[in-house]
Amino acid sequence: MIFGKISQKIRTFATYYVHKARKNMGKIIALANQKGGVGKTTTTINLAASLATLEKTVLVVDADPQANASSGLGVNIQEVDCSLYECIINGADVRDAIYTTDIEGLDIIPSHIDLVGAEIEMLNLQNREKIIGEVLKSVRDEYDFILIDCSPSLGLITVNSLTAADSVIIPVQCEYFALEGISKLLNTIKIIKQKLNPKLEIEGFLLTMYDSRLRLANQIYDEVKRHFQELVFKTVIQRNVKLSESPSHGLPVILYDAESTGAKNHLSLAKEIISKNA
């Protein structure tokens, strides 16, 4: 078995966080995995666009200093006067940081490279783990879903995002080291649930960059499904050229090529999430 050495601890943590569907909306979902290149930002952009296409109101919060979710939704970072950084550090009004996108019902709070230093600046702030939650408190009821794109780390900004969230989506790339670091992330989630955010749940594990032609990808899918069972989304995100191309045009794939596999996968994921939270 590919993951024959997976620890019992991972399975215990996974079982501990079985998703419970919420009846009310205004749901905050963080997308997190400290392993880079697993599709967090791609999923955030395209899930948000798909939810908006299905007539849900959506706010994306770009909590990654690389600001790829911002540029991927057409925001010119050079022209941003107020970003998540100003809200966290300077106490700026969150509404001044909300920008519209080309999709009706989809807004974004962009990131900025200054967010790199924010974690150090936050160290002396009161309730430093709960700042993003406070920032979003005044607008969360204005949206059906708020998606937070976390950076590939488990630093203070990611802890803030998980403390603010109702649930977390964990993208898992279909490659040999798919579960590398997952136990550390699940342990972080467990600590946050115990000490900072008792309501935090796992929305689901999302398999990304899936290629059905590859035997390894199918083995990984089977193994992840076996270990995490009902926590794994039915939808998988397949490898797709259009999905890779769309960010360079500042567009989610549903606007770039609505008939592409990438667009259809994310629309299916959006429907699955809406169904879970109905």
Side-chain angles (χ1 to χ4, degrees):
M1 287 183 292
I2 295 170
F3 301 130
K5 295 182 179 179
I6 181 172
S7 68
Q8 180 63 39
K9 185 166 69 171
I10 292 180
R11 276 172 268 179
T12 302
F13 287 161
T15 305
Y16 186 66
Y17 295 108
V18 175
H19 169 81
K20 300 181 184 70
R22 283 160 40 107
K23 294 297 183 185
N24 57 316
M25 286 303 206
K27 184 168 191 178
I28 302 177
I29 304 175
L31 287 93
N33 189 332
Q34 78 275 18
K35 190 175 186 298
V38 299
K40 283 189 302 295
T41 299
T42 299
T43 302
T44 302
I45 292 170
N46 293 293
L47 173 58
S50 297
L51 287 167
T53 300
L54 295 170
E55 300 185 336
K56 299 297 180 183
T57 52
V58 186
L59 175 66
V60 169
V61 180
D62 191 348
D64 186 345
Q66 296 178 81
N68 291 332
S70 304
S71 58
L73 284 173
V75 175
N76 185 339
I77 307 302
Q78 308 304 320
E79 296 178 359
V80 170
D81 296 319
C82 186
S83 68
L84 182 62
Y85 173 83
E86 282 74 25
C87 294
I88 292 173
I89 302 301
N90 302 331
D93 188 333
V94 64
R95 286 180 172 78
D96 291 336
I98 295 176
Y99 292 73
T100 57
T101 70
D102 290 335
I103 295 183
E104 186 179 352
L106 174 55
D107 297 338
I108 182 169
I109 297 176
S111 183
H112 193 277
I113 191 63
D114 288 347
L115 204 59
V116 170
E119 295 198 359
I120 296 173
E121 296 178 71
M122 291 166 71
L123 289 176
N124 295 322
L125 296 179
Q126 206 168 24
N127 292 322
R128 62 190 180 198
E129 298 90 357
K130 299 182 178 181
I131 296 172
I132 289 179
E134 287 300 314
V135 166
L136 297 177
K137 187 181 289 185
S138 64
V139 295
R140 70 172 295 167
D141 291 336
E142 297 172 19
Y143 295 93
D144 293 319
F145 293 96
I146 296 177
L147 305 183
I148 307 178
D149 183 31
C150 298
S151 64
S153 75
L154 292 179
L156 191 51
I157 297 291
T158 298
V159 169
N160 256 265
S161 301
L162 294 172
T163 302
D166 298 303
S167 65
V168 55
I169 290 174
I170 303 173
V172 179
Q173 186 178 357
C174 286
E175 61 165 30
Y176 186 77
F177 296 110
L179 295 185
E180 187 179 278
I182 289 291
S183 61
K184 187 175 180 182
L185 174 60
L186 290 174
N187 192 46
T188 299
I189 292 171
K190 180 181 179 182
I191 292 168
I192 289 171
K193 187 176 176 76
Q194 289 175 341
K195 299 183 181 298
L196 295 168
N197 181 10
K199 70 180 186 296
L200 183 63
E201 298 163 356
I202 289 180
E203 190 77 21
F205 288 84
L206 175 68
L207 286 152
T208 63
M209 305 179 198
Y210 176 73
D211 188 339
S212 60
R213 298 169 298 179
L214 300 178
R215 184 182 171 202
L216 179 62
N218 287 300
Q219 287 177 320
I220 290 167
Y221 174 83
D222 291 340
E223 288 290 325
V224 172
K225 188 74 177 174
R226 186 170 69 85
H227 285 298
F228 299 116
Q229 299 175 17
E230 74 273 17
L231 288 173
V232 181
F233 284 108
K234 294 183 179 68
T235 303
V236 297
I237 307 300
Q238 296 167 269
R239 284 195 180 275
N240 180 241
V241 173
K242 299 296 184 181
L243 191 58
S244 301
E245 290 176 351
S246 60
S248 65
H249 297 271
L251 293 171
V253 70
I254 203 163
L255 288 187
Y256 183 64
D257 186 347
E259 294 301 313
S260 67
T261 299
K264 291 175 181 176
N265 287 166
H266 284 93
L267 203 56
S268 172
L269 176 63
K271 289 176 181 176
E272 192 172 342
I273 288 172
I274 290 170
S275 176
K276 273 189 174 185
N277 292 279

